Amino acid sequence: MNRRRIAAVIVVAPALGMAVPVVPSVIAQEAEACTTWTVGMVEDEGGEVLAAQACSIDQPDAWLVLNCFSGSVFVRYDLGMGAESLPPLGEVTDVTFSTGSDAVTLSMSYQEMDGMHAADAGVGDPLVHLLKAGDTVTISDVPGRYPVKSFSLEGSAAAIGKLVAGCD
C-alpha cells in the first residue's frame, strides 16, 4: 500500500542564525494530488494487487482503498488515523459512508497488519455505487470514537470501473 507522508525539510539559514522548516511545493502538490482517485498496481502483503484509492481531503495520511477479488470488493480504510489510540485487534465497527443525500453503513473490522479497518462488499453493493457518484464522501464510525474524514470522489467512477472490470 502506498502511504505518503508530508515532511518538512529543515534548512539552516545562516543569515538568520536559526533552522527554518520548509515544506517543498512538490510535496504539498503530491498531497493535494492524492485526493483524486487513481487505479493501479500497489504493493500488498502477498505481492502487487490492483487498487482504486484516494487520500482524505482532511488528512492526506488517511486512505480509502478498494481491491477486487472474485466478484467481491475489499474496502480498506484508515478509520483510526488521527485518533488518540489504536483500536483493539479484531474490533468491528459500523462505519457510515455519506454523500449528503445517500448513506451506506458497513461493518468493518480492524486489521492489525496494515492498521486499517476492512470489509467485503459485492461488486453491485450500494457502497460501490455510492463511491462512484457525487462530489465528496464523508466517512464516520457510528459510535463516534474516531475522527470524521472526507474524500473527494473526483475520478472515482473511472477508477472503480477499471478496478471492477479487472476483478477476477
mmCIF file of all heavy atoms in Angstrom, residues 7 37 48 83 87 99 101 119 121 125 133 135 150 166:
data_model
loop_
_atom_site.group_PDB
_atom_site.id
_atom_site.type_symbol
_atom_site.label_atom_id
_atom_site.label_comp_id
_atom_site.label_asym_id
_atom_site.label_seq_id
_atom_site.Cartn_x
_atom_site.Cartn_y
_atom_site.Cartn_z
ATOM 1 N N ALA A 7 6.644 15.715 4.795
ATOM 2 C CA ALA A 7 7.718 16.000 5.728
ATOM 3 C C ALA A 7 8.248 17.403 5.495
ATOM 4 O O ALA A 7 8.321 17.869 4.369
ATOM 5 C CB ALA A 7 8.855 14.988 5.518
ATOM 6 N N TRP A 37 -8.976 10.200 -7.220
ATOM 7 C CA TRP A 37 -8.892 8.740 -7.259
ATOM 8 C C TRP A 37 -7.981 8.258 -8.379
ATOM 9 O O TRP A 37 -8.004 8.783 -9.481
ATOM 10 C CB TRP A 37 -10.281 8.135 -7.444
ATOM 11 C CG TRP A 37 -11.064 8.137 -6.171
ATOM 12 C CD1 TRP A 37 -11.640 9.204 -5.571
ATOM 13 C CD2 TRP A 37 -11.337 7.014 -5.345
ATOM 14 N NE1 TRP A 37 -12.263 8.820 -4.410
ATOM 15 C CE2 TRP A 37 -12.095 7.482 -4.256
ATOM 16 C CE3 TRP A 37 -11.027 5.667 -5.420
ATOM 17 C CZ2 TRP A 37 -12.547 6.634 -3.240
ATOM 18 C CZ3 TRP A 37 -11.480 4.825 -4.426
ATOM 19 C CH2 TRP A 37 -12.228 5.311 -3.347
ATOM 20 N N GLU A 48 1.825 -7.614 -5.575
ATOM 21 C CA GLU A 48 1.103 -6.492 -6.163
ATOM 22 C C GLU A 48 -0.360 -6.847 -6.426
ATOM 23 O O GLU A 48 -0.662 -7.958 -6.850
ATOM 24 C CB GLU A 48 1.767 -6.047 -7.464
ATOM 25 C CG GLU A 48 3.057 -5.286 -7.236
ATOM 26 C CD GLU A 48 3.500 -4.537 -8.473
ATOM 27 O OE1 GLU A 48 3.153 -4.936 -9.594
ATOM 28 O OE2 GLU A 48 4.200 -3.520 -8.301
ATOM 29 N N ALA A 83 -6.541 9.303 15.481
ATOM 30 C CA ALA A 83 -7.166 9.022 16.779
ATOM 31 C C ALA A 83 -6.081 8.979 17.849
ATOM 32 O O ALA A 83 -4.904 8.804 17.559
ATOM 33 C CB ALA A 83 -7.913 7.686 16.720
ATOM 34 N N PRO A 87 -7.086 0.995 17.751
ATOM 35 C CA PRO A 87 -8.214 0.147 18.130
ATOM 36 C C PRO A 87 -7.716 -1.235 18.539
ATOM 37 O O PRO A 87 -6.638 -1.654 18.146
ATOM 38 C CB PRO A 87 -9.038 0.049 16.850
ATOM 39 C CG PRO A 87 -8.277 0.726 15.783
ATOM 40 C CD PRO A 87 -7.045 1.314 16.354
ATOM 41 N N THR A 99 -22.783 10.714 1.221
ATOM 42 C CA THR A 99 -22.549 11.760 0.218
ATOM 43 C C THR A 99 -23.463 12.950 0.459
ATOM 44 O O THR A 99 -23.519 13.859 -0.353
ATOM 45 C CB THR A 99 -22.795 11.230 -1.213
ATOM 46 O OG1 THR A 99 -24.136 10.761 -1.303
ATOM 47 C CG2 THR A 99 -21.810 10.145 -1.581
ATOM 48 N N SER A 101 -26.782 13.126 0.372
ATOM 49 C CA SER A 101 -28.131 12.678 0.026
ATOM 50 C C SER A 101 -28.307 11.173 0.220
ATOM 51 O O SER A 101 -29.424 10.700 0.399
ATOM 52 C CB SER A 101 -28.460 13.052 -1.421
ATOM 53 O OG SER A 101 -27.527 12.455 -2.300
ATOM 54 N N ALA A 119 -13.522 -4.530 5.130
ATOM 55 C CA ALA A 119 -14.772 -5.271 4.949
ATOM 56 C C ALA A 119 -14.907 -5.665 3.487
ATOM 57 O O ALA A 119 -14.283 -5.074 2.610
ATOM 58 C CB ALA A 119 -15.968 -4.425 5.372
ATOM 59 N N ALA A 121 -17.539 -6.179 0.209
ATOM 60 C CA ALA A 121 -18.813 -5.740 -0.361
ATOM 61 C C ALA A 121 -18.883 -6.318 -1.770
ATOM 62 O O ALA A 121 -17.857 -6.477 -2.429
ATOM 63 C CB ALA A 121 -18.897 -4.219 -0.415
ATOM 64 N N ASP A 125 -22.751 -3.815 -4.763
ATOM 65 C CA ASP A 125 -23.155 -3.313 -3.464
ATOM 66 C C ASP A 125 -23.469 -1.812 -3.517
ATOM 67 O O ASP A 125 -22.831 -1.063 -4.265
ATOM 68 C CB ASP A 125 -22.022 -3.550 -2.455
ATOM 69 C CG ASP A 125 -22.451 -3.328 -1.025
ATOM 70 O OD1 ASP A 125 -22.916 -4.296 -0.409
ATOM 71 O OD2 ASP A 125 -22.324 -2.186 -0.528
ATOM 72 N N ALA A 133 -20.498 8.148 -7.310
ATOM 73 C CA ALA A 133 -21.386 9.277 -7.612
ATOM 74 C C ALA A 133 -21.197 10.378 -6.571
ATOM 75 O O ALA A 133 -20.821 10.112 -5.439
ATOM 76 C CB ALA A 133 -22.840 8.803 -7.614
ATOM 77 N N ASP A 135 -19.831 14.356 -5.237
ATOM 78 C CA ASP A 135 -18.576 15.118 -5.200
ATOM 79 C C ASP A 135 -17.652 14.681 -4.074
ATOM 80 O O ASP A 135 -16.447 14.644 -4.228
ATOM 81 C CB ASP A 135 -18.873 16.617 -5.031
ATOM 82 C CG ASP A 135 -19.622 17.201 -6.208
ATOM 83 O OD1 ASP A 135 -19.356 16.787 -7.352
ATOM 84 O OD2 ASP A 135 -20.486 18.069 -5.977
ATOM 85 N N SER A 150 -13.223 13.224 5.135
ATOM 86 C CA SER A 150 -13.911 13.385 3.852
ATOM 87 C C SER A 150 -12.958 13.056 2.724
ATOM 88 O O SER A 150 -11.759 13.338 2.807
ATOM 89 C CB SER A 150 -14.397 14.831 3.701
ATOM 90 O OG SER A 150 -15.344 15.133 4.696
ATOM 91 N N GLY A 166 -11.422 -5.422 -13.871
ATOM 92 C CA GLY A 166 -10.301 -6.349 -13.716
ATOM 93 C C GLY A 166 -10.480 -7.303 -12.552
ATOM 94 O O GLY A 166 -9.525 -7.952 -12.122
#
